[in-house]
Amino acid sequence: MQSPTNATTATMKALRLEHWQSPAVLRDVDRPEPGPGEVLVQVGGAGACHSDLHLMHEFGEGQLPWSPPFTLGHENAGWVHTLGDGVTGLEPGQPVAVVGAWGCGTCERCRADLETYCDHPERTRAPGGGGGLGLDGGMAEFLLVPDARHLVPLPDGLEPVHAAPLTDAALTPYHAVRRSWGKLGPGATAVVIGVGGLGHLGIQVLHATTAARIIAVDPRESARDLAKRSGADLVLAPGDALAATVREATGGIGADVVLDFVGSDETLLSAAAMVRQLGDLTLVGLGGGTLPVSFFSPPYEVSVQSTYWGNRHELVEVLDLASRGLLHAEVRVFGLEEAVTAYELLAAGAIDGRAVIAPNTEYRP
């Protein structure tokens, strides 16, 4: 695919969240121009994420340190369009992925490439957020990236429309799995609860980077089929016997690592019932559930942890795996004018894998 040519229009289409607890709308907005240190990216793909549905329908004023209006889209990839003064190391037309979390860039955590856990988010324009999360994101023809450090060149053979969802839907489970690599050697078992946009890539990450046996859990038959295609060794539907079935499949001891990509009360209780002593229970999903913790539950010395996204170095590793065919998002592509429909289908559970908005449809593969 050739990179796009320079556009000359002063306005562009963008999918905007204008108010809390309201659907996003397509609007004409001014096309941004990069200032010193900034980069303008022509968007090739922007992933539609379940967390966007939470933004549209569940959050209210004061719950987050930023608020609408802003353009949605925090999973982004495209082509460098225009470089601001002082930017080096990138060229117009170069395909890039965008690191989603934008920290202050100067604190100890940011200097250690952990911008998701920035110590001073109050120094940023959208504390704890980034493009598509308080600031304008990639569901538009162009995306203004405030610093070149947030861009990762795409490896050969990986197109922006396929790379975009990897910046969250693969990076988030990669970060979660990477934390537990020490417990995922030969003979270990990992359970993935929820085989959606993130879960199916979590299975692939486990398959590509560990020797663990993989059990996947989802109520939908289509999702369980997707889990099999993604590398799961055993697929199960939830139910009263789920934890007992997992323990039976593991010789009675339970799973070494349980990754909950749903995060409801029900799934967290199931996770606690199936994890083994000294295991990891990692909460990834935003289902709003809570986990009761007492001396006897979860099992002794289980580590219960939440994770948030991943860092730039991990994204480089994710894109490398994808370029070698070891990670692949099941993608359904929509034009920007179809973005509202894509979110409606996502809310209805009618999309397996990941929906990706391709604003510049003439460059869709």
Side-chain angles (χ1 to χ4, degrees):
M1 179 195 302
Q2 295 182 345
S3 62
T5 56
N6 289 353
T8 58
T9 57
T11 62
M12 65 179 186
K13 296 288 185 182
L15 186 72
R16 306 277 289 173
L17 181 64
E18 298 192 331
H19 307 281
W20 292 125
Q21 299 180 3
S22 66
V25 292
L26 198 61
R27 294 285 189 245
D28 288 313
V29 299
D30 291 339
R31 194 186 83 188
E33 294 295 333
E38 298 177 334
V39 180
L40 187 66
V41 173
Q42 188 159 3
V43 180
C49 183
H50 268 281
S51 59
D52 295 331
L53 296 175
H54 293 291
L55 292 177
M56 293 181 208
H57 303 300
E58 296 178 16
F59 287 100
E61 195 64 40
Q63 289 183 265
L64 293 171
W66 34 264
S67 61
F70 55 87
T71 299
L72 291 172
H74 58 269
E75 302 179 349
N76 305 304
W79 304 270
V80 172
H81 184 272
T82 309
L83 300 174
D85 290 344
V87 176
T88 59
L90 295 169
E91 298 292 337
Q94 183 176 6
V96 290
V98 183
V99 181
W102 298 347
C104 72
T106 59
C107 71
E108 180 181 357
R109 291 285 170 83
C110 285
R111 291 198 304 269
D113 191 25
L114 297 172
E115 295 202 36
T116 43
Y117 307 122
C118 175
D119 282 327
H120 293 287
E122 73 280 359
R123 298 174 182 172
T124 69
R125 288 183 289 169
L133 299 169
L135 299 175
D136 288 340
M139 291 202 179
E141 296 170 62
F142 295 89
L143 167 64
L144 183 64
V145 179
D147 195 292
R149 75 178 188 276
H150 300 312
L151 296 177
V152 175
L154 292 186
D156 291 342
L158 188 58
E159 298 291 348
V161 74
H162 295 292
L166 302 177
T167 63
D168 181 3
L171 178 59
T172 296
Y174 183 81
H175 176 74
V177 170
R178 201 176 193 272
R179 286 184 53 135
S180 296
W181 273 351
K183 298 181 181 180
L184 291 169
T189 297
V191 175
V192 170
I193 300 177
V195 189
L198 272 70
H200 86 286
L201 282 159
I203 293 168
Q204 293 180 44
V205 170
L206 286 163
H207 187 70
T209 67
T210 81
R213 185 186 188 197
I214 305 166
I215 300 175
V217 180
D218 199 286
R220 300 166 297 162
E221 183 177 359
S222 61
R224 295 195 296 273
D225 289 341
L226 176 57
K228 292 177 184 176
R229 298 198 302 273
S230 299
D233 299 289
L234 175 65
V235 298
L236 301 171
D240 294 340
L242 175 61
T245 303
V246 170
R247 289 194 173 276
E248 181 181 357
T250 56
I253 61 175
D256 299 86
V257 176
V258 180
L259 300 155
D260 186 351
F261 289 94
V262 180
S264 66
D265 287 339
E266 180 182 1
T267 57
L268 284 169
L269 287 174
S270 293
M274 67 179 68
V275 67
R276 70 181 295 188
Q277 296 178 98
L278 295 172
D280 284 353
L281 193 169
T282 301
L283 172 60
V284 183
L286 296 174
T290 56
L291 177 66
V293 176
S294 68
F295 187 83
F296 297 105
S297 179
Y300 297 133
E301 295 201 38
V302 164
S303 295
V304 179
Q305 54 204 17
S306 60
T307 63
Y308 179 54
W309 225 331
N311 58 55
R312 188 185 192 281
H313 177 74
E314 290 169 333
L315 180 57
V316 171
E317 295 175 346
V318 163
L319 296 175
D320 176 71
L321 289 171
S323 71
R324 292 157 51 202
L326 298 173
L327 291 181
H328 174 74
E330 294 271 339
V331 166
R332 182 171 172 182
V333 181
F334 298 81
L336 184 56
E337 71 283 356
E338 303 170 300
V340 172
T341 299
Y343 278 111
E344 290 172 349
L345 293 171
L346 187 64
I351 294 179
D352 291 325
R354 211 64 171 169
V356 175
I357 310 305
N360 296 286
T361 53
E362 63 268 36
Y363 304 108
R364 188 189 304 180

